[in-house]
Amino acid sequence: MVSEICYEVPGFGDVYLLSAICKNCGFKHTDVMEVNPHQDPLRITVMVEEPDDVNHLVVRSSYATVKMPELGVTITPGPYAQGIISTIEGFLHRAKEIVEFLTSSELDEERRRKCLETLDKIVAAIEGRLEFTFIIEDPSGLSTIVPKCGRVAKIIKEPLRVKLLGHVEES
């Protein structure tokens, strides 16, 4: 079964949502794309300085990498990555779940210590006690960050240089 819908994101514009589910095997795939994208590779950076900044809306395409350098978090897309619409807080909670899993399953003491340090930083960021940078690097140019309604945010959009074969080049 495939579902498609065009959805208007306040302060951003129309996005196309796709959801596919196989009733036989249970495979699921979702994606989200901007209807009128600029399509140039793009890096979007926002400083999360106030507790309420985690409520900014994030439209992340299935091609985009999310980075939170101060927290030691990088979320890279795999071959079955899905586009999503969430808040920055939603990304923090997803990262927290993954690090909690790694912490409970990691046997090496040094790696477990690093996981616990990362977990402490993520929790502090969720609780608004730690400022951090939220970055989306999207070679498709289909992602964006929309400030929470009524808020002004310092969102920096800049071209992203992309190497051949889809590898992102740091600037």
Side-chain angles (χ1 to χ4, degrees):
M1 181 172 88
V2 176
S3 299
E4 304 170 291
I5 188 169
C6 191
Y7 178 77
E8 183 180 345
V9 177
F12 173 65
D14 293 332
V15 293
Y16 173 73
L17 304 172
L18 170 73
S19 176
I21 302 171
C22 177
K23 292 181 181 180
N24 293 329
C25 70
F27 176 78
K28 297 178 184 179
H29 180 77
T30 59
D31 206 350
V32 59
M33 295 173 271
E34 186 179 349
V35 172
N36 296 311
H38 57 281
Q39 305 235 356
D40 291 328
L42 181 66
R43 174 183 285 124
I44 307 165
T45 305
V46 63
M47 286 302 302
V48 179
E49 300 171 322
E50 301 291 328
D52 201 35
D53 289 345
V54 297
N55 294 314
H56 296 324
L57 188 65
V58 178
V59 178
R60 192 210 74 182
S61 82
S62 58
Y63 306 101
T65 296
V66 172
K67 296 180 179 183
M68 295 176 263
E70 296 86 352
L71 308 182
V73 173
T74 299
I75 303 168
T76 56
Y80 300 106
Q82 300 182 26
I84 62 170
I85 299 175
S86 184
T87 60
I88 292 173
E89 182 177 14
F91 281 92
L92 288 168
H93 282 286
R94 282 183 184 85
K96 180 177 178 267
E97 289 173 9
I98 292 166
V99 174
E100 285 173 337
F101 172 77
L102 291 172
T103 302
S104 68
S105 63
E106 189 59 57
L107 299 176
D108 178 277
E109 192 56 39
E110 177 63 19
R111 290 183 188 203
R112 185 174 189 286
R113 184 187 62 74
K114 287 181 180 179
C115 283
L116 288 171
E117 288 175 6
T118 299
L119 189 58
D120 287 344
K121 291 177 186 177
I122 293 170
V123 169
I126 290 170
E127 294 174 352
R129 297 183 287 113
L130 180 64
E131 295 181 4
F132 65 98
T133 310
F134 187 89
I135 302 166
I136 298 177
E137 294 179 341
D138 190 350
S140 74
L142 299 173
S143 299
T144 195
I145 299 174
V146 181
K148 181 182 176 196
C149 291
R151 296 278 314 216
V152 176
K154 298 176 194 170
I155 297 174
I156 301 166
K157 294 184 179 185
E158 56 191 348
L160 176 66
R161 296 185 304 163
V162 180
K163 292 182 180 180
L164 293 177
L165 303 176
H167 296 285
V168 177
E169 183 177 298
E170 294 293 327
S171 353

